[in-house]
Each structure stands twice: as C-alpha cells, then as structure tokens.
Amino acid sequence: MLRRHLAAAALAVLALAGFNRPAPAQPAPAAPPAAPVEIQFWHGLPQPLGGLLEKIVSDFNASQRQYRVVPSFRGSYPETMVGAVAAFRANAAPHIVQMYEVGTGTMLAAGRAIRPVHELLAATGVNIDFNDYLAPVRGYYQAADGRQMSMPFNSSTAIMFYNKDMFSRAGLDPNSPPKTWQEVEAAARKLKEAGISCPMTTSWPAWIQVEQVLAMHNQPLATQANGFRGMNAEMRLAGPLMVRHMQNLVEWQRQGLFRYGGRDAAADGLFPSGECAMAFASSGLRARVVREARFQWGAAMLPYYSDVQGAPRNSIIGGASFWAMNKGAAANATRTEAEWRGVAEFFRYIASPEVDAKWHQDTGYVPVRRASYELSRRQGYYTQNPGSDVAIEQLIRGGAATDNSRGIRLGGYVEIRTIIQEEMEKAFQAGQSAQQAMEAANTRANAVLRTFERQNSRPQ
Amino acid sequence: MDRKVYFKGRALPFLLLLPQLAVTAVFFLWPAAQAVWQSTLQQDAFGLSTSFVGLENFAEVVADPNWRGAAWNTAVFATSVAVLALGVALFLAVQADKAIRGQRFYRTMLIWPYAVAPAIAAVLWLFLFHPNIGLIGRALNAAGVMWNYQLNGNQAMLLVVIASAWKEVSYNFIFFLAGLQSIPKSVLEAAAIDGARPLRRFWTVVFPLLSPTSFFLLVVNLVYAFFDTFGVIHALTKGGPGKATETLIYKVYVDGVDNLNLGSSAAQSVILMLLVIILTVIQFRFVERQVHY
C-alpha cells in the first residue's frame, strides 16, 4: 500500500525530476588523433523521414574522415526540445539539435545555450550563401537585423489538397480548384449537395487557419513585427480579418461544410482516406497522399479573401531548423575548436543544392534554396510530379516577405498554439462566439508572452 | 499473533534496509526536494536566469482560472472513475463468487486489462470510439448520435472516464473477490435461515463486511485517477477539446514539458504531492487502524 502511494507521489514530482536527470555522458574528447571528432546530433523526425535524414548524415560521414556526426532520434519535436533543454542544464547538450519552428523564439532567448550560426560560420571560416535561401525560410530563423541564427533545413508550408473525383461528382471543374475563401465556400456547398459528408477539413488549425491566414493577408499576428523586434510584442488575434475567418469556419462547421478534425496533425488522415473533399494541410502530407489516396487528387495554394487589400502574399513556413548548442552553463562544459568546425562543415554539407534537392524530392518538404529549386526543375521533378511546386510558388509569391509574413518570433509560442486551438474548439462546440474565442485566445496568449518576458529578462 | 522476530545488534537490519532506503532517497525524496525548491523559482527553460520568488508561483497557480478548471475536472474525473470502477468490479466479483462453470477462465479474463499499459488501453478505446475510424464511433454517428469527442467536451470526459475505469476494474475485482471469499459462509447461511433474500443478504451482511476493502479500494482508485491516468488522457484527448479533460496531473506535464514553465509546473506538482500526503494520512488513520480485516 505504502509503495503505491510513494509511486503516486513520485509520479507527481517525476515530471520535474525529468528535467534534472543527467543525460548520458558524452564520449570523452580525449580520442586518439586519428579518430574522427564526434558530433552529437539530436533530431525529432520519426520514420520514414528520420531514416532519410540519417542517410544524409551517413553520407556526410562517408564524404570525409575528420568528423563523425552521430544522429539520435529523440522523439517528437517537443520531446526533442525538452531533451535538449534538460541536457544543457546537465552540461551535456548535443552539438546540434533540430528544433521546430515554433521553438525558435524560445531558442533565441536562450542566450548562452546556443551558438548563432552566423557567429559559428565566421569563427570557423565556413561560407554558406544565405542570400540564395528562400526569403520566408531564412527569414524565420534570422535575427531582426538579418543575422542567421539557426540553420534552415526541413521546411514546409501549408497548401490545399482536393479530391478531383469528388469535384467531378459535384459538377465542379477538377482542374480549377477554388482560389479564394468565397470560392471555397461555394465549392463546399456544391460538394455537400452532392452528398459528400465532409466538404473540407483542416490540419494544424492554429498554424493554417490563423498564422497562415494573417501572413497571406499581410496582417500582424502580434506587434513588433510578430515579435521579431522584441519580447514586448502583444498579440493581435482578435482583428477584424481573424474574427471574420473564425466566424466563417464556425458557421461552415455548423452547416456541415467544414469538419474540425482535431489539433495539430490529427486531421491528416481525413484526406487520403477519401473522407474529405478539400483539406488544408502541410505540404509535407504529399508523400502520404501519394501513397494512400485511391482517387485522383490535386494540390493548390491556400485560399484568401479577395476583398482584402494586399492579399495574397507569401505563406509562412513550418518545419524545423538546426541549432548549434553550447554544452552547458558550467565553466568546464566547453567545446573544442574541432567540434565547432565539424558542426560548421556538416551545415555546409546539408546546404549544398544536391543534398537539399534530393531531400525535397524524397520527402515533400520544400527546397530551402533557389539553387535546389532550379536543380529539381532541371532534373524534371516538377514535370513528373505535377503540383509539387505549388508550395514553393506560394512561399515566394509577392516578393520580399513583410513584417507580417516573415514568420513568428514569439516566446512560449508552443503554448500559444495550444491556446488558440483550445479556444477554437470551444467556438466549434458553440460554447462561445468567434469573437469571444479570438479575444480569449488573445488575452491568454498575452499572459504567456508576459510570463516568458519576465522569465527571460532578468539579469543573467 | 504476537510472534515477533528480533535481530541481534543493529548493523544487519540497517544493512537490509539500506537498498530500499537508497531507492527511496534517490527516486522519491531527492526529486521531491528539487520540486519544492524549483517551485519557489522563476527560471527560463535553460536555467540561465533564475530568481527566487518565494510563494509567488503558488499564488499564481491558485489564482489561475485554468488551474481551477483542471481541479474541477480532476474532481469530476476521479469521482466518476472511482464510482464506475468500483461499481462494475463489485458487480463482477459478486457474479464471479458464485459457483459457475468456467470460473477460472472468467476470472483470468477479468484480471487481464490490468496488465495493459495505459497508452495501449487508450489506443484500444480510440479505435472503438474515434468518430471517423472507430467502430462504435462510426456506428453512433450513423445512428444519428452526434458523436465527436474531439469537439464535445462531455463526450471526451466520458471517454477518458470509461477508458481509465476499465483499466482499474481488474484491480478492484481481485480485491473484492478476495474480500467476498473471506466472508464466513456460516454468517451467510445464518442470514439465509433467518429468511433474508439474496439482495437483502448482500446489503445487510456482505456489503458491511466488505467495507474495509471498499474503503481501501476507494482511496486507491482516487489516487489512481489523480496520478496514473496521464497516459490515457495523453493518448486520447491531450486534455482537449478546449480544456475539457485537462486534469491536474496533465496540466503539470503540459506546463512543464510543453510550455517549459518550470516554476509553475513545480508548484503544481508540490500541491499534488500535498494531496497524496493527505490521502495517505486518511488511509492510515481510517483503514489501517480502525477497521479489522
């Protein structure tokens, strides 16, 4: 009996103990001169993506003899993030960690925990031409003044998938997908009339129906250029466009035109299974659709409101980037010159257009460089796979990214996304109006920003 | 019953106790102490800037409407799980206590769910009740019931309660069965001779004699619902929709692991720790002392 209670008590505190648990010790640096320098690399990509990533790593290891990058799968993105944080606190952080885009604000505020990429490259003399990177990709991981803070890698954006068979059945032209939300609504009505129970759905409700909508209409998600200019940013979730869009979604849900399929990627399966006619999802869903869909389908850009001035602009990215990390805060937790060099060399390797283009074609992530986009085009990838360039075209649409479409740089943003999804769910349950939902989300998200600001602005 | 064994000297008993004490210290006391310490700090995720804030974290937690919501959810959840798990287990145990054919098989099958990991149990229920892919979920929707636990908070709560209770029924079943079998036959026979019908025999004889077991199980079930149901909730609803199924223990996880707000998460887990201590005290005072097995 007592043991049971102790176990329960332990459970209550274990969540915390986890943070202080020392990570497995790193291999001792005192290796014989001939042995390659080991670079620890933690990533958060499950199979099959993780395997493709590890293939890139082993190709890098085979391409030279000085460094050996040791990849290690650390669970989902949030788990990888927590793992890296805990490892840093235990002075055993990996050299490189893959961090999802919403963790960027947290990482940037981490100060001594990370080594900015621009600084790393300058110190090691490795040159990577970031000007060739797609603006929304590099911009997401840059400081406000344009210095590159982390290494862009797997990037996606959101697009629309639609079921051509269902379009034909509903008397819609399968080769001209709706471009605006007005057209989407009209198409959804026709689909419903044709007896299709789920005319449209969305994955990643916060990312696609809030962040992307605001960016593509050139409207702020938060002040201070979505947080790029400072931690004192305030949310702008309850603006007229956002409330209007949320009202539409709630109304469409009520009329059976839209189906809420759950948080994050939970709705991903609804499109390839043939359940929903239109799905807004990550461009990375493409691989699964190719594999599973038993019908004709097409890909198109995300819709926009044609009566909003300045729309449509580029969409923003999702995915992850690589961060170079310091080992820990302790005085003796340092890295050698050779280790940093190895990190920089690895970054140079993954930046090469050949590697990037192959990764893009294998996975459905977008190419992060123009050179890789061109290379894929020359290789005939887009003619063989029609629609696979929709995501890139949408990312580079409208010229240089604006303050509103560069990305999001808000601390604690993981939590804010959850808050947005929670309030949306309450609106879909008819527990509150769209206006109330967005205002509640705004208030709660601001509280998160203030907490984060307080935690990170004390004297270090 | 006073047959005690005495050790000569003190070294040996201490030595024998040492492994257990070491485990307790390393895995329970040390992390608990760290949690208490962390709960008084405001700290960024990487531990680079730290400041002592005293009880501020606790004040914030208690004032937070979301925490209160989670506390309410926990109360509803724990009560429902305990009542459901105890009720079903008692019914099954009474049935299993009768002389029936295939008794052993029946009992073994009932004990089985206890061996299923919470996450796996959750996935089993997900495959039954998912509105799009679940067997029962689809059937419900086809029958005109608007079943979608991803959007309906009450349905989500119902689902996590059922999934959690299902896992605990086995444990309760074993104890109830043992309790039933330890009731002297003569008492029941005497009641029967006095003319008490089966139902009356159950409520006036069996149930009171089972009360120590029931009370013990009630506390165990509450502790289970409070602390051991993280896996089920995480796999089924992630606390959603909205915050409809976010319990206190789940909120500790979300705030600590997802949101990296260590101070608040630590404060919450310290509050939970106090709760366990209170439950343990109740357990010792009322069960172990006053009731005779």
Side-chain angles (χ1 to χ4, degrees):
Chain A
M1 199 42 231
L2 184 61
R3 179 174 304 165
R4 202 179 161 86
H5 282 314
L6 283 171
L11 212 110
V13 291
L14 254 184
L16 272 142
F19 292 106
N20 298 310
R21 191 179 56 216
Q26 304 274 314
V37 177
E38 281 206 357
I39 309 290
Q40 297 297 324
F41 169 40
W42 290 6
H43 71 83
L45 287 178
Q47 295 301 345
L49 294 172
L52 293 166
L53 176 59
E54 291 183 7
K55 175 76 172 59
I56 292 179
V57 171
S58 62
D59 287 349
F60 168 75
N61 289 339
S63 74
Q64 44 74 46
R65 314 184 70 175
Q66 281 168 290
Y67 313 104
R68 202 166 76 83
V69 176
V70 185
S72 155
F73 174 57
R74 292 282 153 165
S76 66
Y77 283 143
E79 283 162 2
T80 307
M81 181 164 176
V82 172
V85 166
F88 180 82
R89 292 173 79 110
N91 297 310
H95 297 80
I96 307 170
V97 65
Q98 182 188 34
M99 193 69 71
Y100 57 165
E101 89 286 17
V102 289
T104 305
T106 301
M107 287 304 274
L108 274 175
R112 278 177 294 151
I114 55 148
R115 189 157 199 211
V117 163
H118 71 89
E119 192 187 305
L120 171 77
L121 296 182
T124 53
V126 170
N127 187 30
I128 295 172
D129 180 15
F130 285 110
N131 288 327
D132 186 48
Y133 276 67
L134 303 188
V137 175
R138 67 162 189 259
Y140 208 110
Y141 304 113
Q142 278 175 343
D145 57 11
R147 286 173 303 159
Q148 200 66 35
M149 302 305 281
S150 70
M151 185 69 197
F153 184 64
N154 55 319
S155 302
S156 55
T157 192
I159 55 171
M160 177 172 90
F161 293 92
Y162 67 101
N163 186 321
K164 287 189 174 178
D165 292 355
M166 285 181 173
F167 265 52
S168 303
R169 213 189 312 158
L172 293 160
D173 180 359
N175 292 315
S176 76
K179 287 192 182 58
T180 64
W181 282 111
Q182 292 92 335
E183 289 171 23
V184 165
E185 182 182 355
R189 284 195 197 288
K190 283 205 157 181
L191 288 159
K192 187 170 162 55
E193 278 161 24
I196 286 144
S197 67
C198 173
M200 68 172 135
T201 188
T202 190
S203 297
W204 302 100
W207 181 50
I208 299 181
Q209 302 305 335
V210 176
E211 296 163 36
Q212 299 285 11
V213 166
L214 288 169
M216 284 177 37
H217 294 82
N218 199 15
Q219 302 210 359
L221 176 81
T223 59
Q224 298 293 347
N226 287 349
F228 271 78
R229 296 220 190 87
M231 267 195 254
N232 54 348
E234 287 184 15
M235 300 303 295
R236 285 286 178 268
L237 284 171
L241 173 73
M242 207 58 255
V243 170
R244 170 188 179 186
H245 186 57
M246 206 51 60
Q247 244 155 15
N248 277 340
L249 289 178
V250 170
E251 186 59 22
W252 294 340
Q253 148 99 6
R254 207 178 54 77
Q255 298 177 3
L257 303 178
F258 169 80
R259 183 190 290 175
Y260 179 80
R263 296 181 191 177
D264 298 344
D268 270 0
L270 292 176
F271 182 75
S273 69
E275 187 112 3
C276 292
M278 292 181 279
F280 311 107
S282 164
S283 58
L285 185 63
R286 182 188 172 86
R288 181 168 171 192
V289 176
V290 168
R291 197 169 62 237
E292 293 177 10
R294 298 279 170 272
F295 49 84
Q296 295 292 312
W297 56 275
M301 291 192 194
L302 287 180
Y304 58 95
Y305 289 99
S306 52
D307 52 351
V308 175
Q309 226 189 352
R313 291 204 56 81
N314 65 292
S315 57
I316 56 170
I317 59 160
S321 70
F322 293 167
W323 291 84
M325 279 188 85
N326 281 309
K327 199 172 181 181
N332 60 352
T334 52
R335 304 227 187 269
T336 65
E337 205 54 39
E339 287 176 322
W340 287 124
R341 247 210 110 71
V343 174
E345 289 294 341
F346 180 63
F347 283 176
R348 166 152 59 192
Y349 182 80
I350 59 164
S352 80
E354 291 74 24
V355 172
D356 184 33
K358 183 165 178 355
W359 170 254
H360 153 55
Q361 294 170 23
D362 286 349
T363 60
Y365 282 109
V366 298
V368 290
R369 304 188 60 159
R370 285 176 188 278
S372 348
Y373 185 27
E374 289 309 317
L375 181 63
S376 300
R377 189 188 298 287
R378 280 202 305 280
Q379 289 169 340
Y381 177 68
Y382 303 115
T383 43
Q384 287 156 25
N385 301 278
S388 55
D389 54 352
V390 164
I392 313 146
E393 291 299 333
Q394 183 181 277
L395 270 180
I396 57 182
R397 168 172 71 182
T402 68
D403 277 355
N404 300 325
S405 72
R406 188 179 302 132
I408 294 149
R409 182 61 49 76
L410 299 170
Y413 197 67
V414 181
E415 184 172 1
I416 294 179
R417 261 199 188 161
T418 309
I419 288 174
I420 294 173
Q421 296 183 130
E422 284 172 357
E423 295 300 333
M424 281 173 82
E425 282 167 354
K426 287 186 200 160
F428 286 134
Q429 289 175 56
Q432 60 183 354
S433 72
Q435 176 90 35
Q436 286 169 327
M438 295 326 286
E439 273 167 11
N442 205 64
T443 311
R444 289 178 59 196
N446 273 332
V448 172
L449 290 182
R450 296 294 76 83
T451 303
F452 185 82
E453 194 180 15
R454 208 164 32 145
Q455 281 168 348
N456 285 278
S457 61
R458 289 173 193 268
Q460 302 213 343
Chain B
M1 287 295 286
D2 250 353
R3 270 189 16 222
K4 287 184 180 165
V5 180
Y6 291 97
F7 282 106
K8 286 174 197 149
R10 293 208 161 167
L12 184 62
F14 276 119
L15 201 69
L16 292 174
L17 273 176
L18 199 62
Q20 184 60 44
L21 287 176
V23 166
T24 310
V26 171
F27 290 103
F28 301 125
L29 299 181
W30 183 51
Q34 287 228 324
V36 173
W37 173 234
Q38 184 86 49
S39 71
T40 61
L41 303 178
Q42 272 274 7
Q43 197 177 47
D44 75 297
F46 290 87
L48 292 170
S49 60
T50 306
S51 54
F52 182 81
V53 294
L55 295 178
E56 207 179 290
N57 285 328
F58 289 92
E60 267 175 32
V61 162
V62 176
D64 179 7
N66 290 318
W67 187 80
R68 292 186 190 173
W72 172 246
N73 285 343
T74 310
V76 172
F77 175 74
T79 315
S80 315
V81 168
V83 168
L84 189 63
L86 288 173
V88 172
L90 181 58
F91 175 78
L92 290 173
V94 170
Q95 303 308 313
D97 193 37
K98 295 173 183 164
I100 49 168
R101 210 191 290 180
Q103 207 177 37
R104 271 202 129 133
F105 175 76
Y106 176 65
R107 285 179 191 170
T108 313
M109 295 311 280
L110 278 171
I111 292 164
W112 226 353
Y114 194 64
V116 177
I120 295 172
V123 171
L124 290 176
W125 287 93
L126 189 137
F127 276 122
L128 285 177
F129 281 100
H130 193 281
N132 302 318
I133 55 170
L135 212 62
I136 300 175
R138 287 181 80 108
L140 281 173
N141 277 314
V145 182
M146 288 298 289
W147 173 265
N148 186 355
Y149 69 84
Q150 288 169 327
L151 272 182
N152 186 320
N154 292 333
Q155 292 178 355
M157 181 56 95
L158 184 69
L159 184 60
V160 289
V161 165
I162 292 175
S164 307
W166 174 73
K167 257 195 69 55
E168 198 63 2
V169 163
S170 319
Y171 184 87
N172 297 346
F173 170 78
I174 300 171
F175 276 82
F176 273 134
L177 192 61
L180 285 170
Q181 290 179 341
S182 67
I183 293 173
K185 283 275 176 294
S186 55
V187 180
L188 286 171
E189 281 158 7
I193 291 167
D194 284 349
R197 290 169 177 280
L199 206 62
R200 193 178 165 80
R201 286 210 295 274
F202 177 79
W203 287 116
T204 54
V205 180
V206 176
F207 195 69
L209 283 170
L210 269 181
S211 70
T213 314
S214 306
F215 193 81
F216 158 77
L217 284 176
L218 179 67
V219 175
V220 169
N221 277 258
L222 285 178
V223 171
Y224 162 80
F226 267 62
F227 304 105
D228 279 357
T229 48
F230 169 83
V232 171
I233 294 175
H234 190 57
L236 272 176
T237 63
K238 294 205 168 23
K243 283 190 174 293
T245 54
E246 188 174 83
T247 58
L248 289 173
I249 193 80
Y250 197 76
K251 191 163 163 52
V252 169
Y253 169 82
V254 169
D255 283 343
V257 178
D258 285 350
N259 303 338
L260 293 170
N261 190 347
L262 302 191
S264 168
S265 179
Q268 293 174 40
S269 63
V270 168
I271 295 175
L272 281 175
M273 193 156 65
L274 292 177
L275 216 69
V276 185
I277 292 171
I278 292 170
L279 276 173
T280 313
V281 168
I282 292 175
Q283 172 80 14
F284 275 115
R285 283 195 83 100
F286 293 98
V287 180
E288 318 252 320
R289 280 205 198 141
Q290 296 189 342
V291 192
H292 303 279
Y293 287 105

